[in-house]
Amino acid sequence: MKMKWKGWALAASALLLASGTARAAPTAEMLSDPCAGCHGTYGNSAGTTTPTLANHSKQSLVDAMKKFKSGERPATIMGRIAKGYGDVDFEAMGDFFSKQKFHAANQPFDKKKAARGAELHSSNCARCHLEDGKEGKDASPVMAGQWLDYLKIEMGLYTSGKRKMSDEKKEKVQPLSATDLEALLHYYASVTR
Amino acid sequence: MTMERRDFLKLIGAGVGVGASGALFAQSSGQRVVVVGGGFGGATAAKYLKLKNPGLNVVLIEPNRQYVSCPLSNEVLGGEATIEHLTFGYDGLKKRGVTLVHDTVTAIDPQARKVTVSGGNTFTYDRAIVAPGIDFRWDAIKGYDEAASHAIPHAYKAGAQTTLLANQLKSMKDGGVVIITVPEYPFRCPPGPYERASMIAHYLKHHKPRSKIIILDAKESFSKQGLFMQGWKQHYEGMIEWVSGSKGGEVESVDVATRTVSSAVGNKHPADVLNIIPPQYAGKIAHTTGLVDPKGWCPVNVRTFESTQHPGIHVIGDASMAGAMPRSGYSANSQAKVAAAAVIASLRGVPAGEPSFINACYSMIAPEHGISITNVYMVKDKQLIEVPGAGGISPMDATPEFRKLEVVHAKSWFRNVTTDMFT
């Protein structure tokens, strides 16, 4: 038995050495700290168009990185960066950011729009964006306290068809007007934690 | 291997019982790290040392009370940013418990592990991180020395130099000629001169549309060349002329009185506004400390950024020889985290972990036209290399929406990276 395991380990390391991209694993922290250049220290973004990553579920972060890497999710720069990592790295980074404290963005929002958005959230979105958007079901991201500029960019990608919606999401988003969607995003911008 | 042994011996020397469980992780209070230079590398290093090990005594020595960022300084020339946007103080780092010393380091003694500042005070250290940025080779271009730069700006260190160049552009007549000269590699911010040409063209197009820009380049090609050329054709048709080294772009001398550049092939180019970006090497203190190689840059172990010439001193940012990483603000920020982690590991007597790096550089061609280059880096066989298959430049055939997004992301990056450095 012991010999057999050793054999497996040897074969596995030989495989790793043979593949060009293999590297010794940096810690989750080491992999994640360089992300701060665009996503803020420990994943709390200070810039309005790059999202805060802190306290998202690990699953939503890993899912996002895989989709950036494959090109399924449109990006300017993120796809090029995601190609620098493997699934094990995504898991490590997802785990790291999921454990960081979330600081809601301090940003202006329209109160009237936010009030209308609150109703829409309850009727259309609350089944996946749980707890007023503070938590996400499965791979759903945190919405509450996220930057409004970022949310608008992503919603624009969804409605223009560039970013693929799940059937579940499509069913809830498609009936909403542009004004409704705007209100919804103001609502998420208004929720502090 | 040898480093582990040395650290082991240091522990014995310090009287730490290796057998005592937890001893290896004990005792960080009292251990001092001196960081020299408070730019993208040094400020980030000071912050991350405190963030990861609050018990450390971290001293940051930086002559200026305020830091002016080079990234986005070209946008000041284009009227898209102000110097105030780019200016940061060190109060955030003080709040984190970093000791700020606003003085100039005049000597580092690697044997005694001691830093001396111009006021005469000395600071001993257990480890030092040196981030001096670049200095200019004032002997490289005949007629262009430091005194000349007060009349003919380099504007390759932001602040007064940026303002000087901006003012000269403002007082230039319509129909004037702006010349930017670019040295051979290596220099800081490889796309910087071409973003500068773009931002100056943006200003001239709206205020002095009959003017021209000539780039005299020592090189045969440049960073993001296709994207820049495409953008210039789109926004500034006929306004920017790029002259490569073999076509007469290499600069031999400058006549300050007539603002005339003489090329290596003997052509004379008179300018109304002249911007000389001189050849560069590591900042002065790296030379006086003996951290540089014969070419004037600092060789390091790229896993830890510890100098290969003086153990105990880590060199990061533009001054260091970081393999495939370009000299940029993001690179320095990323290297600072690797160096800080290596310093902390070393002070704990454990080996440094595997490093990981990112770089991203945005350039603005027009207010709604941004482009980028990015990569992820790793260490393999002691070389700092690009992770195969990752990174690259913005696509050539991108939509206007894409180009506009790269501008807003550039601004978001600037907010994040400076917050990561200074708070």
Side-chain angles (χ1 to χ4, degrees):
Chain A
M1 270 300 260
K2 248 184 188 172
M3 282 301 287
K4 203 172 167 188
W5 277 112
K6 227 179 209 172
W8 272 110
L10 271 174
S13 55
L15 262 176
L16 277 170
L17 285 171
S19 97
T21 54
R23 56 169 165 184
T27 62
E29 197 173 5
M30 176 57 76
L31 285 165
S32 307
D33 280 344
C35 307
C38 295
H39 292 280
T41 309
Y42 289 165
N44 274 287
S45 179
T48 64
T49 66
T50 31
T52 280
L53 307 176
N55 206 225
H56 282 251
S57 73
K58 180 178 168 181
Q59 194 183 342
S60 76
L61 293 164
V62 170
D63 181 71
M65 287 300 276
K66 284 183 177 170
K67 285 176 176 160
F68 278 128
K69 188 176 178 176
S70 73
E72 182 186 329
R73 182 166 168 185
T76 51
I77 203 167
M78 202 56 233
R80 288 176 261 159
I81 294 170
K83 288 193 181 86
Y85 303 94
D87 287 357
V88 179
D89 303 324
F90 292 158
E91 294 277 330
M93 290 188 271
D95 192 54
F96 179 83
F97 285 117
S98 73
K99 289 174 178 159
Q100 303 308 315
K101 199 170 176 319
F102 182 103
H103 301 286
N106 183 13
Q107 61 186 331
F109 58 88
D110 184 311
K111 274 188 184 165
K112 259 192 192 158
K113 287 179 187 171
R116 166 78 182 130
E119 293 167 20
L120 293 165
H121 167 75
S122 303
S123 59
N124 288 44
C125 315
R127 227 171 61 198
C128 294
H129 297 291
L130 310 172
E131 305 292 329
D132 303 329
K134 290 173 194 168
E135 284 176 30
K137 180 174 168 267
D138 302 329
S140 306
V142 172
M143 304 294 284
Q146 190 58 275
W147 288 106
L148 187 53
D149 285 347
Y150 164 73
L151 293 175
K152 283 180 180 171
I153 289 169
E154 291 306 306
M155 190 53 89
L157 291 171
Y158 274 130
T159 51
S160 67
K162 287 179 188 137
R163 185 172 171 187
K164 218 173 89 186
M165 284 190 260
S166 64
D167 290 342
E168 216 177 358
K169 190 177 182 80
K170 215 181 273 175
E171 189 193 316
K172 299 295 181 187
V173 169
Q174 271 178 347
L176 299 179
S177 68
T179 318
D180 284 344
L181 290 173
E182 164 110 5
L184 194 55
L185 301 186
H186 276 265
Y187 165 67
Y188 291 126
S190 77
V191 184
T192 51
R193 300 143 58 96
Chain B
M1 274 287 267
T2 52
M3 204 177 88
E4 281 166 47
R5 188 164 64 233
R6 191 168 58 240
D7 288 330
F8 176 74
L9 290 172
K10 213 170 72 194
L11 279 171
I12 299 291
V16 177
V18 176
S21 90
L24 285 174
F25 294 92
Q27 287 303 327
S28 58
S29 60
Q31 288 182 311
R32 181 189 278 162
V33 182
V34 172
V35 181
V36 178
F40 275 79
T44 307
K47 171 176 169 168
Y48 273 73
L49 286 166
K50 271 298 198 189
L51 189 66
K52 307 291 181 183
N53 190 344
L56 273 182
N57 178 353
V58 178
V59 179
L60 174 59
I61 309 178
E62 158 61 42
N64 300 311
R65 283 175 190 276
Q66 289 195 307
Y67 180 74
V68 184
S69 161
C70 269
L72 254 72
S73 66
N74 286 328
E75 281 65 19
V76 174
L77 306 174
E80 296 294 307
T82 64
I83 289 285
E84 292 74 58
H85 278 129
L86 313 184
T87 304
F88 299 87
Y90 293 93
D91 287 351
L93 291 178
K94 280 186 207 163
K95 258 184 229 160
R96 282 197 179 269
V98 174
T99 304
L100 257 295
V101 176
H102 291 295
D103 207 332
T104 302
V105 173
T106 53
I108 302 173
D109 181 340
Q111 275 73 45
R113 301 201 170 207
K114 190 177 75 177
V115 172
T116 306
V117 296
S118 65
N121 286 341
T122 60
F123 301 86
T124 55
Y125 61 80
D126 294 286
R127 293 241 147 208
I129 296 180
V130 176
I134 54 111
D135 264 332
F136 301 110
R137 292 177 175 265
W138 294 118
D139 58 346
I141 299 173
K142 216 183 301 167
Y144 192 71
D145 56 11
E146 189 162 14
S149 74
H150 298 297
I152 294 173
H154 53 75
Y156 232 56
K157 289 187 182 187
Q161 280 280 312
T162 314
T163 307
L164 180 62
L165 181 54
N167 288 343
Q168 291 186 357
L169 290 166
K170 275 183 201 139
S171 37
M172 188 183 83
K173 65 174 191 284
D174 188 9
V177 174
V178 179
I179 294 181
I180 302 169
T181 75
V182 188
E184 188 50 80
Y185 289 129
F187 58 91
R188 70 160 32 155
C189 189
Y194 316 97
E195 184 194 52
R196 173 166 297 176
S198 310
M199 283 292 98
I200 292 176
H202 168 63
Y203 167 75
L204 295 175
K205 181 181 173 178
H206 291 94
H207 298 94
K208 286 145 196 185
R210 294 188 296 117
S211 309
K212 274 199 72 168
I213 300 166
I214 301 170
I215 304 169
L216 297 177
D217 202 329
K219 303 181 281 80
E220 294 307 308
S221 62
F222 60 91
S223 174
K224 308 182 212 173
Q225 185 167 348
L227 290 167
F228 273 115
M229 295 250 179
Q230 189 183 54
W232 292 345
K233 196 167 160 38
Q234 187 183 335
H235 301 285
Y236 314 117
E237 174 94 73
M239 217 172 175
I240 302 173
E241 182 190 352
W242 175 69
V243 183
S244 71
S246 63
K247 300 272 164 62
E250 197 183 336
V251 175
E252 185 156 281
S253 66
V254 172
D255 183 58
V256 176
T258 60
R259 278 195 298 271
T260 300
V261 181
S262 295
S263 72
V265 295
N267 296 334
K268 288 197 187 309
H269 302 272
D272 295 287
V273 172
L274 181 52
N275 171 214
I276 303 285
I277 303 172
Q280 299 155 28
Y281 49 25
K284 191 176 167 197
I285 192 64
H287 295 259
T288 48
T289 311
L291 293 165
V292 297
D293 77 350
K295 287 184 172 166
W297 303 99
C298 303
V300 293
N301 171 351
V302 287
R303 283 177 57 87
T304 58
F305 279 72
E306 185 171 14
S307 167
T308 54
Q309 313 207 156
H310 286 305
I313 301 176
H314 301 248
V315 185
I316 56 172
D318 291 346
S320 68
M321 294 164 70
M325 291 187 89
R327 290 177 166 80
S328 75
Y330 204 134
S331 289
N333 173 268
S334 193
Q335 292 157 10
K337 294 164 187 177
V338 168
V343 162
I344 289 168
S346 157
L347 293 177
R348 283 175 177 161
V350 299
E354 195 65 27
S356 179
F357 310 86
I358 300 176
N359 175 60
C361 292
Y362 287 100
S363 304
M364 217 185 279
I365 294 179
E368 298 200 335
H369 188 140
I371 56 174
S372 64
I373 184 165
T374 186
N375 226 313
V376 184
Y377 301 87
M378 64 192 247
V379 173
K380 194 180 178 188
D381 303 329
K382 297 183 178 172
Q383 302 295 312
L384 205 169
I385 60 166
E386 294 172 349
V387 174
I393 59 172
S394 313
M396 276 297 280
D397 51 356
T399 60
E401 292 80 32
F402 190 103
R403 300 289 190 227
K404 194 176 168 182
L405 269 180
E406 294 228 280
V407 172
V408 296
H409 288 329
K411 290 175 181 171
S412 202
W413 165 78
F414 187 71
R415 280 278 296 152
N416 269 309
V417 77
T418 53
T419 305
D420 194 41
M421 289 161 69
F422 290 113
T423 66

